[in-house]
Amino acid sequence: MTALTYAWSSLGGDPARLSRLTSVPREGVLTARLPVRELARACVGACALAAAELAARRAGLAEVPAVRVDDGAVAAAFHSERLLRVDGRAPVSFAPLSRFWRTADGWVRTHANYPHHRTRLLGALGMPEDASAERVAARLAGMPAVEVEETVDGAGGLAVALRTPERWRAHEQAAAEVAARPLVERGRLDTAPARKFPPPDPAAPAVLPAAGLRVLDLTRVLAGPVATRTLALLGADVLRVDAPWLPELPDQHADTGFGKRSATLDLGTGRDVLEDLLSTADVVVTGYRPGALDRFGLSPEELSARHPGLVVAQVSAWGAHGPWRGRRGFDSLVQAATGIAVTEGTAGEPGALPAQALDHGTGYLLAAAVLRALTEQSYDGGSRLVRLALARTAHWLTSGIRPEPADGEPYPGPDAWLAETGCTLGRLRYARPAVSFTGGPADWARPPVPWGSSPARWAAPALQG
């Protein structure tokens, strides 16, 4: 079974639809020991196929539009945060304290890009705010890796011990979450009536698959924002909402903000505003730790009870089950914990994938799962829950994908898949969308807006069936 076939099957897709997809393999794309190219192509391909399927459903077409996946476009998209330029300036990727460190018995990976995570990391280590990387290195060198992991996590920070693939497979989290569950969790929450789309207008231009749909984006960092950026590309009214005291990193916001609007809202004191948004939302996407937003009435069960017909999409680092379900996590940490960093390392030092492939791959799969849920709703209704985890994508990459021949057309580099636009954030160079099908969009309808600059309300009237 190819990676694409497995991804499409995990989404509940009709195998016959796969014949509508063609790919353009390219040499030298996303080169790694692990089959990253195959994973990336499958995730983008499955997402494009799900988009084409929904477009056909809404337009009343007997056949799904043709889908084309070019490895060059996929590689550029998977490097989007690295290829971004703002007024010619390269983005800031990782902060000085976000890296691998030697410990008394191995290695540990930390993540401290956000100021509050840096503060928690240093506090857990008993170090002052102005501690240098050299002082942190000296402190960690005297501690066992798992002790660092537990100490930092207990303080709300982010650190994981480097593990081999064998050690991870023996870990309780791997057994409880990864091995026991599918790549894409899909469920029906109630018996809400079938979703009704307006009948197609033969005189109107082709309708984008997500046109008129309202997506409440409660995500941060990469996987969730990549998913909602893709839904925005496909025509959805995407409103990203953040806490006023947790601004997004500027470059990250610029990269993942295409097609969206950005608002701030205190979910504790702004419950009326939140409920007003939810009352006409079609999709709610969350990217926080499982259960972290439940106190605001945002659990899938509560959402479907108050607003039947919703699609609730969730993404997390470690999954919704097992002892690590409540832990914070990022792509780099999941790579370290699951053995990927060991596999990609050299000379006894840990390595990394050529892109943040767990984030990007999971993001495209999440968007695909939402699109497939919307299509399924149009046949037999029901509020829907879709759930993914970076750790499960890592499991698929390390044990479920068969490498394919590394040949194809020459890869000329990313320039052919880059574009520029001017906006209030400056002059942006960015990676164009990799999701492509006949009649689909070639680019986002609008550039990103400044973080928190939009009102917390929908931009257009609700879609009426």
Side-chain angles (χ1 to χ4, degrees), residues 327-378:
R327 289 202 179 197
R328 298 164 177 84
F330 292 94
D331 182 304
S332 58
L333 301 184
V334 177
Q335 288 190 42
T338 60
I340 290 174
V342 170
T343 300
E344 296 293 338
T346 56
E349 296 200 356
L353 299 176
Q356 291 187 240
L358 305 182
D359 264 333
H360 285 278
T362 306
Y364 284 108
L365 286 177
L366 185 66
V370 168
L371 295 165
R372 290 244 56 256
L374 291 165
T375 297
E376 290 178 343
Q377 282 184 328
S378 72

Side-chain angles (χ1 to χ4, degrees), residues 71-117:
D71 278 356
V74 171
F78 268 56
H79 286 113
S80 64
E81 75 280 3
R82 303 182 191 181
L83 293 171
L84 179 76
R85 296 293 182 271
V86 182
D87 292 329
R89 177 184 57 80
V92 176
S93 54
F94 286 101
L97 299 189
S98 295
R99 48 171 274 197
F100 279 105
W101 310 83
R102 286 191 180 274
T103 63
D105 59 352
W107 295 84
V108 70
R109 183 64 161 86
T110 58
H111 196 288
N113 284 3
Y114 289 98
H116 59 292
H117 289 155

Side-chain angles (χ1 to χ4, degrees), residues 265-288:
L265 180 67
D266 183 334
L267 298 185
T269 60
R271 294 294 288 273
D272 290 344
V273 176
L274 175 63
E275 201 60 28
D276 186 56
L277 290 170
L278 291 169
S279 67
T280 56
D282 298 285
V283 180
V284 177
V285 186
T286 67
Y288 292 78

